[in-house]
Structures are given as structure tokens and as C-alpha cells.
Amino acid sequence: MFCHREGQKLTLEHIYPDWLSSLFNKGLKGTNEVSSDNVNRVWQGRVFQEKVKLVCGHCNNGWMSAIEGETKHLITSLAFTHDGHAFSKEDQRKVTLWVQKTILVMNKATGGVGDFDIPIGFYERLYQTKQPLSNVMVSMGWRMLANGSKDQPLASFEIKQVNTVQAEKKSADMLRMQMENGALIWTAVLALGNVVFHVVGTNINGDLEVGSSDPRMFSQINPFVESISWPLEWPIEAVGGLDAVRKAM
Ligand SMILES: [Zn+2]
């Protein structure tokens, strides 16, 4: 999926990283949900043990595993603990790379859900640079996943193409031309425990203001703006929670 090596055997890759399941009881079953504009699949399974054959062993055990290794403690603390801490530029870089990599895997893993697929160029760039992609904005919000919120999924992923764009008149024609030639904007929401990532990617050239999330609920981590103190001031529950965030995608 990333390297396009010929003759490489594909290995089973965990959609959600394997180390996440070690945070939970072995027998714990959970509800998995994948949705798009026209599909909504829900199934039961062991939490965080869904696997797909999408990447070769070289990628899976190499650079992808390295990303997991250096980001695990940060994701765990964002998603499953309530300790407040500063979130530095380097932390944000690591988490961004993990989020972008995970979204690209999930997009393929949930392939066939709806008509949308992230263009190959995003995969190639991430594979070549192993650095956060500047054209994939990432922001994160704080979700209060308390004991009383049993109807809320532990993890969820949603992705779709953005079909309407606001533009200045002078750039609107340029934009329309690029979009007619296959350029697009996509948006995804990935929720994991107490953290929710809002991601907006585009391969349109030029200055484009995309997907500004509510700044009280979401802090942008890519491109980098400033250090963040976590948790954020307001949880997303203040604006209606995950459902409202997804509706606003
Ligand atoms: Zn590979």
C-alpha cells in the first residue's frame, strides 16, 4: 500500500495498533463501526484486533513499527489517561505522523465503504518522507469518555470527500479547474478514547483555508501553531460531542 514493491508478501497489519489491545482485558469484545455517506457497518469483535493484509513485512516491521514505538506513550496518555501535561512541538510532530499513517491505513482497510478513496499521492509522499504531510491538517480535541457514556464508541473512524468549498472569486475558477482534473479535499474524524482527531487533506495547489475546527474545542497540531496544554479547555461534549463533530465535518 505504501511502497508498491513487486513480489513482496503482504503481512497482516493491525488496523488499530496491536499495543492498544494490551491496555484492555484479553476477552473484551467491542463494537466496531465504519461509516460513510451511504454505508454504515457495525460488527462485534475483540477490541483493537482487526487485521487487514495491506502492507508488506518490510513496511510493517520497519518504519511503521518505528512510528508506533515512538508514539505509543503519547497516544496512550491522550486517549486513556486524565493527566494534564504540556504537549510540545516534537510531541505534536510524532502524533501527527501517527495520525496521518493510521488514517491512510484505515482508509484502505475500510475500502469499498462509499465511493471515496484517498489518492495514491498521499501514500507515496508519506512513505518517501516519513514526515508529517503539510497538506494534511490535523487538529485534536478532548472527549470526556466517562463511565456514564456507554452509548459512545471507544474508537471510531469516519472519512469523506468535501464537495463544497468557499473561495474568493478570483481563486474560484482556478479551484474549479483543479477539481475537474481530480484534485480534491477530504476530511476524517478519528476518535480513540478521550482524544478526537480531525483531519483535512487536500492535493489542491495554492493557499486554501480548509476545515477550520472550532478553536475552543480543537487545537491544530499540524501544521504546527503552538505548544498545547492537555487536556484542552473545553471538551467536545460542550458542542454536542462526537455526533456534532461528525456532522460538522
Ligand atoms: Zn511495503
Side-chain angles (χ1 to χ4, degrees), residues 1-5 8 55-60 63 127:
M1 162 176 129
F2 284 101
C3 67
H4 309 295
R5 277 164 203 261
Q8 286 286 318
V55 293
C56 74
H58 179 86
C59 288
N60 201 1
W63 66 274
Y127 176 69

Side-chain angles (χ1 to χ4, degrees), residues 103-116:
I103 295 270
L104 291 181
V105 171
M106 286 189 173
N107 170 63
K108 285 282 183 257
T110 57
V113 178
D115 304 323
F116 176 70

Side-chain angles (χ1 to χ4, degrees), residues 16 25 46 64 98 101 135 147 156 179 195 203 219:
Y16 287 99
N25 287 336
R46 257 195 72 191
M64 293 175 81
W98 183 88
K101 183 271 299 174
N135 58 340
N147 287 336
S156 84
M179 289 175 95
V195 68
N203 52 7
S219 283

Side-chain angles (χ1 to χ4, degrees), residues 161 172-184 204:
Q161 187 172 344
D173 289 342
M174 181 89 96
L175 201 60
R176 195 180 312 114
M177 220 164 71
Q178 287 194 52
M179 289 175 95
E180 276 168 11
N181 288 312
L184 49 79
I204 291 172

Side-chain angles (χ1 to χ4, degrees), residues 168-229:
E168 295 276 315
K169 189 151 188 353
K170 63 176 169 33
S171 54
D173 289 342
M174 181 89 96
L175 201 60
R176 195 180 312 114
M177 220 164 71
Q178 287 194 52
M179 289 175 95
E180 276 168 11
N181 288 312
L184 49 79
I185 302 171
W186 52 269
T187 178
V189 171
L190 171 65
L192 185 60
N194 295 307
V195 68
V196 178
F197 297 104
H198 181 215
V199 180
V200 182
T202 183
N203 52 7
I204 291 172
N205 292 318
D207 289 333
L208 198 65
E209 291 269 324
V210 287
S212 54
S213 325
D214 187 330
R216 289 167 308 165
M217 313 298 154
F218 282 88
S219 283
Q220 183 174 313
I221 61 170
N222 186 68
F224 175 76
V225 181
E226 59 185 0
S227 279
I228 291 170
S229 83

